[in-house]
């Protein structure tokens, strides 16, 4: 669509009389270059006296000139109002030149353009209180040129007057070319609507200058939100709302959106089913690894006097062994019922969450990694300090004795436990 406009006879008469020499005298370099290009495309021979009007096979009157004149008139009217307000604010003092340029504010000028009307040759544009143009629009369609199948042109097929709400079609629907990408199997003509109704799980994002406008786009809610429908001015308003948590038996119960997206449901904690084949495989591997680690620990203890084992900081190694065994043991907590009132892992539909059991699962799993990594960090730091000090002097660095190393490990583990409990 484009704003309906007609040719400006006065401008067309002036432009059609221009030739290269006259355009240069007027300082119109654009017209001079345009005329030279038109002569190259025309079948007519040109000279300095050839005018645009004589190149009818190339030059065609431009209808958008009236729109430019209309825009200038609207801007002139807004600037006149702004000038009067400038004089009023300055109490009749000078408001010309530099003073007026400094007074001009783009926001004020834009608002002064609202509720204005501009007319040129019976073509009028009314700008409403929202800054939108209310005028007559030409409906254009991109169609194949009947005289040249390889050429497409924009053809006017109708008009629409937004101010009067009148639609006039000059071309039958069967002669209109539609983009096949916007058609569906049910309609030969695409649907023409401002906004379609949003689905559940979506919200309306208003388009326009205020929330009372009738146009919107639909956006998906986040994975923790559902669609809440309220009525505004008799029309449904789709908005996303967060699924809230609530307390039940002094416990926090969390909720998540239902599949339909129109509400939330309680999140029921579930334990892993020990009869599931995947669970059986994990438990089997866990027990086998636990037995192998225990066997290796026995071998390690029996050979603790070996110089290679003694060189690995025996006490720190014991803590690492404990952390490895503890990591396998902590995995077993995830296969036990985590809710009270469960006789078996599969019978937990009506049971309430056991908060302490959840804490125990999280604490044991995170603590096992800390008891492995804390001794390794302490050992690496000890070796680094020994070699760094040895380069400078033969003095023994501080805090490398076993008791200090164990204290450092204990502090790191305590930090992990405190962080877990606070979380």
């Amino acid at each position: 669509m484009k704003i309906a406009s007609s040719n400006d006879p006065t401008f067309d008469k002036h432009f059609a009389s221009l030739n290269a020499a006259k355009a240069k005298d007027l300082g119109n370099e654009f017209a001079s270059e345009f005329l030279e290009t038109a002569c190259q495309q025309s079948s007519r021979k040109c000279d300095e006296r050839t005018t645009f009007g004589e190149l009818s096979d190339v030059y065609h009157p431009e209808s958008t000139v009236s729109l430019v004149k209309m825009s200038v008139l609207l801007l002139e009217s807004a600037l006149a109002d702004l000038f009067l307000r400038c004089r009023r604010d300055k109490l009749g003092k000078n408001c010309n030149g530099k003073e007026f340029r400094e007074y001009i504010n783009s926001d004020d000028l834009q608002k002064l353009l609202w509720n204005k009307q501009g007319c040129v040759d019976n073509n009028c544009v009314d700008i409403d209180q929202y800054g939108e143009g209310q005028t007559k629009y030409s409906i254009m369609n991109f169609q194949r040129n009947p005289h040249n199948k390889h050429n497409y042109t924009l053809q006017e097929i109708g008009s629409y007057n937004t101010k009067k709400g009148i639609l006039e079609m000059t071309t039958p629907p069967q002669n209109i070319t539609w983009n096949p990408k916007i058609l569906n199997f049910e309609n030969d003509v695409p649907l023409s609507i401002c906004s379609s109704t949003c689905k559940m799980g979506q919200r309306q994002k208003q388009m326009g200058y205020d929330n009372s406008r009738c146009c919107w786009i639909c956006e998906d809610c986040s994975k923790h939100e559902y669609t809440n429908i309220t009525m505004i001015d008799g029309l449904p308003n789709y908005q996303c709302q967060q699924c809230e948590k609530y307390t039940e038996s002094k416990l926090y119960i969390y909720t998540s959106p239902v599949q339909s997206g129109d509400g939330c449901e309680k999140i029921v904690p579930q334990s892993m089913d020990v009869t599931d084949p995947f669970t059986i495989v994990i438990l089997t591997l866990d027990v086998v690894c636990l037995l192998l680690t225990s066997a290796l620990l026995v071998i390690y203890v029996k050979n603790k006097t070996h110089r290679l084992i003694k060189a690995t900081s025996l006490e720190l190694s014991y803590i690492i062994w404990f952390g490895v065994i503890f990591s396998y043991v902590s995995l077993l907590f995830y296969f036990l019922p985590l809710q009270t009132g469960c006789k078996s892992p599969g019978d937990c539909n009506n049971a309430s969450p056991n908060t302490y059991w959840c804490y125990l699962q999280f604490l044991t799993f995170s603590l096992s990694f800390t008891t492995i990594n804390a001794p390794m960090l302490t050992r690496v730091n000890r070796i680094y300090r020994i070699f760094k000090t040895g380069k400078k002097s033969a003095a023994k660095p501080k805090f490398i004795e076993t008791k200090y190393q164990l204290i450092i490990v204990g502090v790191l583990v305590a930090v992990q436990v405190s962080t877990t409990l606070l979380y």
Side-chain angles (χ1 to χ4, degrees):
M1 296 181 65
K2 70 173 187 178
I3 298 177
S5 59
S6 58
N7 299 336
D8 188 336
T10 305
F11 178 83
D12 288 342
K13 182 178 179 180
H14 162 73
F15 204 79
S17 65
L18 287 179
N19 54 34
K22 189 174 181 181
K24 289 181 180 179
D25 293 339
L26 295 174
N28 194 337
E29 295 294 336
F30 166 76
S32 179
E33 294 178 2
F34 183 40
L35 184 60
E36 182 179 352
T37 303
C39 286
Q40 295 175 358
Q41 297 176 355
S42 176
S43 58
R44 177 189 173 94
K45 294 183 178 180
C46 298
D47 54 29
E48 291 187 355
R49 293 176 295 178
T50 303
T51 63
F52 281 105
E54 296 173 352
L55 302 175
S56 58
D57 57 336
V58 177
Y59 170 71
H60 303 284
E62 181 57 59
S63 62
T64 55
V65 174
S66 60
L67 297 179
V68 176
K69 293 178 65 176
M70 198 182 305
S71 301
V72 173
L73 291 175
L74 286 171
L75 184 60
E76 179 189 17
S77 177
L79 286 172
D81 292 343
L82 191 63
F83 178 76
L84 293 176
R85 192 166 68 179
C86 175
R87 296 196 62 183
R88 184 177 65 250
D89 293 344
K90 292 181 177 293
L91 301 177
K93 296 181 180 179
N94 188 21
C95 193
N96 297 322
K98 181 179 178 181
E99 292 81 5
F100 182 59
R101 288 195 298 270
E102 293 177 351
Y103 184 81
I104 294 176
N105 183 283
S106 59
D107 293 335
D108 292 340
L109 186 61
Q110 182 183 17
K111 292 179 181 179
L112 287 173
L113 284 170
W114 297 353
N115 296 315
K116 291 285 186 181
Q117 184 185 63
C119 296
V120 174
D121 298 331
N122 296 324
N123 292 323
C124 297
V125 172
D126 292 335
I127 301 179
D128 62 13
Q129 66 270 26
Y130 302 109
E132 296 181 357
Q134 303 294 329
T135 184
K136 184 178 180 180
Y137 288 86
S138 296
I139 304 174
M140 312 298 292
N141 187 228
F142 203 54
Q143 296 183 354
R144 189 189 299 272
N145 191 331
H147 304 292
N148 187 354
K149 294 183 178 180
H150 302 287
N151 186 22
Y152 287 81
T153 57
L154 279 174
Q155 300 291 335
E156 184 174 348
I157 60 174
S159 63
Y160 179 67
N161 192 315
T162 57
K163 187 175 182 180
K164 299 179 180 179
I166 300 175
L167 173 66
E168 296 179 353
M169 298 300 297
T170 58
T171 301
Q174 60 269 21
N175 294 339
I176 299 176
T177 304
W178 301 108
N179 184 350
K181 293 183 179 180
I182 62 175
L183 298 177
N184 54 40
F185 296 104
E186 299 179 357
N187 300 295
D188 295 330
V189 177
L191 296 176
S192 178
I193 55 175
C194 181
S195 300
S196 58
T197 304
C198 295
K199 301 177 181 178
M200 301 307 298
Q202 295 180 329
R203 75 178 186 95
Q204 296 175 192
K205 182 179 179 181
Q206 303 296 139
M207 306 295 291
Y209 292 92
D210 59 7
N211 292 331
S212 65
R213 307 297 288 174
C214 65
C215 291
W216 63 82
I217 59 174
C218 296
E219 291 185 339
D220 292 335
C221 298
S222 68
K223 62 180 181 179
H224 301 297
E225 295 178 330
Y226 70 98
T227 300
N228 182 38
I229 305 177
T230 57
M231 301 301 294
I232 299 180
D233 298 331
L235 297 174
N237 182 40
Y238 289 67
Q239 294 299 326
C240 296
Q241 188 164 333
Q242 187 81 16
C243 285
E244 299 179 352
K245 63 181 180 180
Y246 62 93
T247 56
E248 183 179 286
S249 302
K250 297 182 180 180
L251 297 174
Y252 281 120
I253 305 299
Y254 291 86
T255 59
S256 64
V258 296
Q259 188 173 5
S260 59
D262 59 351
C264 299
E265 62 182 356
K266 176 182 176 182
I267 300 177
V268 180
Q270 296 178 352
S271 297
M272 300 186 72
D273 187 3
V274 293
T275 62
D276 184 74
F278 180 72
T279 304
I280 294 175
V281 172
I282 294 179
L283 282 174
T284 302
L285 292 174
D286 184 66
V287 173
V288 170
C289 292
L290 181 60
L291 293 176
L292 291 175
T293 305
S294 301
L296 290 173
L297 179 60
V298 172
I299 298 173
Y300 188 87
V301 173
K302 285 185 177 182
N303 297 275
K304 63 181 180 180
T305 57
H306 193 280
R307 59 181 183 178
L308 181 62
I309 294 179
K310 292 174 67 176
T312 60
S313 301
L314 192 61
E315 292 78 7
L316 296 180
S317 297
Y318 282 148
I319 298 176
I320 294 175
W321 279 110
F322 171 76
V324 174
I325 294 175
F326 195 46
S327 65
Y328 292 125
V329 174
S330 66
L331 186 61
L332 298 175
F333 288 102
Y334 286 88
F335 296 93
L336 298 176
L338 75 87
Q339 295 174 299
T340 58
C342 297
K343 297 179 181 180
S344 64
D347 184 26
C348 297
N349 293 330
N350 299 319
S352 59
N354 189 328
T355 305
Y356 301 106
W357 191 259
C358 293
Y359 285 153
L360 182 62
Q361 287 181 342
F362 186 70
L363 178 62
T364 54
F365 186 75
S366 58
L367 189 59
S368 64
F369 280 93
T370 305
T371 52
I372 295 173
N373 293 313
M376 294 177 64
L377 176 64
T378 305
R379 180 190 296 172
V380 171
N381 177 261
R382 178 188 181 187
I383 296 173
Y384 168 76
R385 292 175 57 237
I386 290 174
F387 279 96
K388 184 178 181 181
T389 306
K391 291 181 179 180
K392 299 179 180 179
S393 67
K396 187 178 180 181
K398 297 181 180 180
F399 309 114
I400 63 171
E401 291 81 3
T402 301
K403 64 177 181 179
Y404 292 116
Q405 301 300 300
L406 294 177
I407 291 174
I408 294 174
V409 172
V411 170
L412 294 175
V413 173
V415 170
Q416 174 64 46
V417 173
S418 302
T419 304
T420 303
L421 294 177
L422 292 174
Y423 177 77

